[in-house]
Amino acid sequence: PQYTLARSPLQLPPTPHTFYIKMAKDNRVTKNTRHSYATRSNLIKKVKTPGGRHTVQILVKKSKGAMCSECKIALPGIKHLKSSAYHTLKKRERKVSRAYGGNMCAGCVKARIVRAFLIEEQKIVKRMLSEKAKASKK
């Protein structure tokens, strides 16, 4: 009788139901800090270095940045950093070159200027009316 060698599964021609398992390179990393839990303040990002190693980068939470003191929107032109990090910045990066630069947005400053102007106008009109009333009494 003729005997044939049994073929291993990898030598058979592929069928629609054949699955091959691709072995992935080990890219597991460990946190390099003492606090090992994955909380919001302790997140990491896996990075492959140019040398081919897998390491971690510690992610810093994003800050809301400086807010307008009246309308509470983020101030444009100012970096979004934690309040403790602003002291390392240059003065031109901490504020905008305008009145109330790092404190209020342009719209609120404009509204404040217009309000002050209208109040002064109102005082002048009131003074003129009182003088007119005194003149009519005499």
Side-chain angles (χ1 to χ4, degrees), residues 63-74:
S63 172
K64 288 171 71 177
M67 298 289 182
C68 175
S69 59
E70 286 196 14
C71 62
K72 308 298 186 223
I73 63 164

Side-chain angles (χ1 to χ4, degrees), residues 35-77:
H35 178 189
S36 61
Y37 297 108
T39 58
R40 278 182 58 220
S41 61
N42 193 32
L43 297 177
I44 61 167
K45 176 183 175 185
K46 292 179 187 175
V47 176
K48 189 173 180 183
T49 60
R53 289 185 16 205
H54 288 88
T55 59
V56 297
Q57 286 181 348
I58 298 173
L59 296 177
V60 179
K61 286 197 290 187
K62 288 184 179 175
S63 172
K64 288 171 71 177
M67 298 289 182
C68 175
S69 59
E70 286 196 14
C71 62
K72 308 298 186 223
I73 63 164
L75 291 175

Side-chain angles (χ1 to χ4, degrees), residues 1 4 10 15 19 43 79 97 100-101 107 119:
T4 58
L10 293 178
T15 64
F19 297 103
L43 297 177
K79 291 182 177 179
S97 57
Y100 299 98
I119 289 170

Side-chain angles (χ1 to χ4, degrees), residues 3-135:
Y3 293 101
T4 58
L5 292 172
R7 294 177 139 195
S8 68
L10 293 178
Q11 293 174 338
L12 293 174
T15 64
H17 304 292
T18 306
F19 297 103
Y20 295 104
I21 298 172
K22 186 177 180 183
M23 296 297 289
K25 187 179 174 188
D26 186 22
N27 60 357
R28 291 176 295 179
V29 293
T30 55
K31 288 183 182 265
N32 55 1
T33 57
R34 292 172 186 226
H35 178 189
S36 61
Y37 297 108
T39 58
R40 278 182 58 220
S41 61
N42 193 32
L43 297 177
I44 61 167
K45 176 183 175 185
K46 292 179 187 175
V47 176
K48 189 173 180 183
T49 60
R53 289 185 16 205
H54 288 88
T55 59
V56 297
Q57 286 181 348
I58 298 173
L59 296 177
V60 179
K61 286 197 290 187
K62 288 184 179 175
S63 172
K64 288 171 71 177
M67 298 289 182
C68 175
S69 59
E70 286 196 14
C71 62
K72 308 298 186 223
I73 63 164
L75 291 175
I78 297 176
K79 291 182 177 179
H80 289 220
L81 299 173
K82 295 185 177 177
S83 54
S84 59
Y86 279 113
H87 80 281
T88 59
L89 293 180
K90 296 173 181 154
K91 189 175 180 181
R92 65 177 177 78
E93 294 172 329
R94 282 189 299 239
K95 59 182 282 188
V96 183
S97 57
R98 183 186 355 98
Y100 299 98
N103 192 23
M104 292 171 68
C105 66
C108 292
V109 172
K110 186 178 178 182
R112 182 175 275 208
I113 292 169
V114 170
R115 193 181 319 124
F117 176 75
L118 290 174
I119 289 170
E120 287 298 317
E121 287 285 312
Q122 204 172 21
K123 285 180 184 175
I124 292 169
V125 169
K126 197 174 183 181
R127 194 180 313 127
M128 285 177 59
L129 288 173
S130 65
E131 287 174 5
K132 204 176 206 181
K134 281 183 184 178

